[in-house]
Each structure stands twice: as structure tokens, then as C-alpha cells.
Amino acid sequence: MARVYLSPPHIAGREAELVAEAIESNWIAPLGPHVDAFEAEVAEVAGVENAVALSSGTAALHLALVVLGIGGGDEVACSSFTFSASANPIVYAGATPVFVDADAATWTMDPALLERALAERPAIRAAIAVDLYGQCCDYDSIRALCAERRVTLIQDSTESLGALYGDEPSGGQGDLAAFSFNGNKLITTSGGGMLVSRNAEWIEHARKLSTQAREIAPHYEHTEIGFNYRLSNLLAAVGRAQLAVLADRVAARRRINRRYRELLAGAPGISFMPEAGYGESNCWLTCITVDPAEAGTDRERIRLALETEDIESRPLWKPMHLQPVFAGAPAYGGEMSARLFERGLCLPSGSALTGADQRRVVDVLLATRD
Ligand SMILES: Cc1ncc(COP(=O)(O)O)c(C=O)c1O
């Protein structure tokens, strides 16, 4: 039986055709018509006007901080319950991360803790709120807190393309938002990202910075430090084919999530990531928590049993305030994400996962019980 992966790429169908077209037209230099079209298409899907295609979501978050002029002496509030790539760019920029715990209702940034951090730390100039596992943050609350303190809101929507906040698509809630097209996301360019915003000036500045900050001149003239962060036209061709089926991919992931809930409905001690009432998650990964006292099994027993059956699963993110590399960084709260890390598991959630494989995942999981 083939290995079941957590979230493998899912080919849409037209990737090879669009890449071949790019090669035939000789647009294999970094920029080109597929990059321009991909930017316009992603901006439309995110409900914003401006977008710049980049080499990764990490690069998008980094450039967001650079265009805001964040640097030494500044602090940036950041969700603690996330992947390290949300926080690393704060350090690249020379600023200090201030970690904010998740709340129980959504597993995303707790607005009450953000409020405390903002009240106590005047050095905070921006906040990176992470749309976790495909679910948007509580932006009505977070946006109001940031506006009150004139703190710029950066939305880490790398996991939430295609999700909804109210009836708005994910990506328009922050002042700037980052997407990722890494191989494990709903759609992929094999590696890539995008920075989007309603603010055209920021995006044009990011575009310039991403191509080595070249000034308009016949020779290479530079007045600021640049980066080599652009997405290639070949990868944008893959992205366009993938983006065309985004709605199907969201529907498939949500269906898989619903089915896990049905199959595990009677199992005591197993709970699912709550879906916030204010939006609709893209269900990038289906996440459970296991209470050992009630479940008669635990997270690690389940993970190892799945691995023995060649099924990939993964503990929930280890929060940033517990990561050795961020030891000493200020943190607000922390118990919630620590408990989620201890008890939580991401189940195979790829949009091509078959019903039979999903059944197998559940059978292996249930068989670990005493
Ligand atoms: C929450 C989060 N932030 C940032 C990133 C970085 O994106 P990329 O891998 O495209 O650099 C990822 C994904 O990898 C992510 O899951």
C-alpha cells in the first residue's frame, strides 16, 4: 500500500501545458506574463487590489516588515502557536518578537492577550496574526486593537488561501497579507509566495526590494538594500493551473474534515479544532486533540501507530514561546498552545485522500485504545 502523506501536492491538470507554453515562448527568466497574471488572479481571489509574487511566504512576511520600516529597537507581536516561519522574519528585520498565545475558541491569536501586550509594550509597531490550519483570526477584535494603537496588522494567511472571514475571502483583513505556495499547501507552485495589500505603495516598494532594489536607470543603481525574492515565470505557470481549482480543493478538504468528524464522533476524549462562527476554514489540515484520561490512548501512541502503517501525521505546532531559539523573547499567556502541542495531532488531509485511506487512518487510530 502506498504511503499516506499529511498534505501532498495535488496536480490540477493544466500545469504541464502552461509550463510548456512558458518554455516555448522563452519566458523562463524570473519575470514574465504568467507572473503578472498569477499576481492579478491571486489578488482577485484575496479580494485586494495589489499583489507581488515572491519566492516564498517567508519572503512575503519579511518584505512586509521591511516596507513598514521595522528594525532594531522595534517589537512585533506574533502568534505563538504557529510555524517558525511566521516569527523568523521579525528577527531577519532586526526586531524582537513578542509572542501572544492562542485562545481556546479558535486556536488563533487571543485578542485579550494581544490587548495586554499592546498596552504594556509601546515598542510594538506591527502584529503578525496567523490564520492557523486554514482558519482566520478574530479580525474584528484584532483590527480594532491595532487601529487604536496605530500598530500595522500583517496577516499570515499562508495557510488560509480560500478560507472566509465573514463573507470576505482570507487575505484582505490585514493591512498586508502573506500567502504561501509551498508544496504542502492547498495549492502549490512547488515553492513560492505572495504579498498582497490594498496599499499600492507598499506592494510597489516590495516589488522593487524583491528584485535587488534596482532603481530606474540604464545601469544598476541602488539606494537601498535589496533581496532576490521574485517568483519565476515557470513556477507562476504551475500556480495558475493550481489556482484555477482552488474552490474544488477547499471543498475536498472541508469534506475530509467533515468525514473525520463523523467517523470519530463516538470516540471519547477525541476533539477537533473548533471552527470559529465568524468564518469558514479551508480545513488545510484536520487537527484533533487527544485527552489521554478519557480516550484510553494518547497523541504519541496514535502518531507512532500511524507511522508503523506508513501513514504520516504530525504533532500540532510547537509554540514559539517554547522553542529554544526564541528563549527569552517576551510572551503573553502560553498555557493554551502548550497544551495543544502536548495533545494535538494533524491527520492526513490531502485533497486527493481517498475514502478508503481515510477509513484506514481512523481504524489505526481507534485500535490504539486500551
Ligand atoms: C504559518 C506559516 N507561516 C509562514 C510559512 C512560510 O511559508 P513558505 O514555506 O512559503 O516560506 C508557512 C508555511 O510554510 C506557514 O505555515
Side-chain angles (χ1 to χ4, degrees):
M1 252 182 293
R3 179 166 172 79
V4 175
Y5 289 98
L6 191 66
S7 181
H10 187 173
I11 290 298
R14 289 193 66 213
E15 288 87 348
E17 179 197 328
L18 294 184
V19 169
E21 181 208 292
I23 292 170
E24 277 155 26
S25 62
N26 206 34
W27 279 109
I28 59 167
L31 303 181
H34 284 304
V35 173
D36 298 343
F38 190 43
E39 286 173 348
E41 289 161 6
V42 170
E44 194 182 338
V45 165
V48 293
E49 294 77 22
N50 309 287
V52 56
L54 300 167
S55 52
S56 68
T58 310
L61 290 167
H62 186 197
L63 288 187
L65 295 168
V66 176
V67 298
L68 295 175
I70 305 281
D74 294 331
E75 292 184 342
V76 178
C78 181
S79 300
S80 184
F81 193 39
T82 186
F83 180 48
S84 64
S86 303
N88 287 338
I90 301 169
V91 180
Y92 305 162
T96 302
V98 175
F99 293 115
V100 178
D101 202 4
D103 73 15
T106 69
W107 296 10
T108 60
M109 184 183 266
D110 184 334
L113 292 175
L114 175 66
E115 185 170 20
R116 249 183 59 206
L118 293 176
E120 290 176 12
R121 311 188 77 90
I124 294 179
R125 286 196 48 213
I128 299 179
V130 181
D131 297 340
L132 204 79
Y133 297 121
Q135 169 146 286
C136 286
C137 298
D138 174 0
Y139 284 113
D140 280 2
S141 308
I142 290 173
R143 251 190 327 223
L145 291 169
C146 288
E148 201 177 299
R149 272 282 324 280
R150 295 178 189 281
V151 160
T152 309
L153 178 59
I154 300 169
Q155 182 177 2
D156 181 342
S157 39
T158 49
E159 300 176 0
S160 66
L161 184 68
L164 294 175
Y165 180 76
D167 50 15
E168 296 167 14
S170 171
Q173 291 69 48
D175 298 305
L176 292 138
F179 289 114
S180 167
F181 309 112
N182 190 24
N184 64 356
K185 297 297 188 289
L186 261 80
I187 66 158
T188 183
T189 55
S190 83
M194 186 107 37
L195 182 66
V196 305
S197 176
R198 297 207 165 80
N199 184 317
E201 245 172 72
W202 284 339
I203 295 301
E204 285 325 301
H205 191 190
R207 194 186 304 285
K208 177 189 159 199
L209 290 168
S210 71
T211 46
Q212 306 287 21
R214 187 180 178 181
E215 300 293 336
I216 299 168
H219 59 280
Y220 282 90
E221 178 80 11
H222 304 280
T223 60
E224 57 188 332
I225 296 295
F227 304 86
N228 186 4
Y229 275 174
R230 269 305 236 167
L231 186 74
S232 96
N233 196 56
L234 291 177
L235 298 186
V238 174
R240 292 187 70 201
Q242 290 265 301
L243 189 65
V245 298
L246 176 65
D248 295 346
R249 298 301 186 246
V250 173
R253 299 239 180 193
R254 287 187 60 81
R255 200 166 49 241
I256 287 163
N257 181 279
R258 263 196 315 274
R259 182 140 197 268
Y260 274 128
R261 287 174 189 269
E262 286 160 16
L263 292 171
L264 289 166
I270 308 262
S271 311
F272 285 80
M273 178 178 183
E275 184 161 32
Y278 53 65
E280 205 170 284
S281 172
N282 68 15
C283 294
W284 170 48
L285 296 179
T286 289
C287 304
I288 57 167
T289 55
V290 184
D291 178 350
E294 277 189 44
T297 182
D298 61 43
R299 190 282 303 283
E300 206 46 17
R301 218 195 287 178
I302 295 170
R303 190 186 70 77
L304 292 172
L306 290 169
E307 195 50 55
T308 303
E309 294 297 319
D310 220 6
I311 297 170
E312 185 184 24
S313 65
R314 190 174 297 150
L316 298 183
W317 299 125
K318 179 173 181 177
M320 293 306 109
H321 72 279
L322 297 181
Q323 295 287 357
V325 73
F326 291 119
Y332 285 77
E335 299 76 15
M336 181 67 207
S337 53
R339 197 164 62 248
L340 289 171
F341 169 58
E342 195 183 290
R343 296 185 168 184
L345 191 68
C346 304
L347 299 177
S349 306
S351 43
L353 187 70
T354 64
D357 277 340
Q358 198 171 359
R359 179 83 246 180
R360 196 153 69 89
V361 171
V362 170
D363 287 346
V364 173
L365 186 158
L366 293 176
T368 63
R369 295 186 296 177
D370 295 330

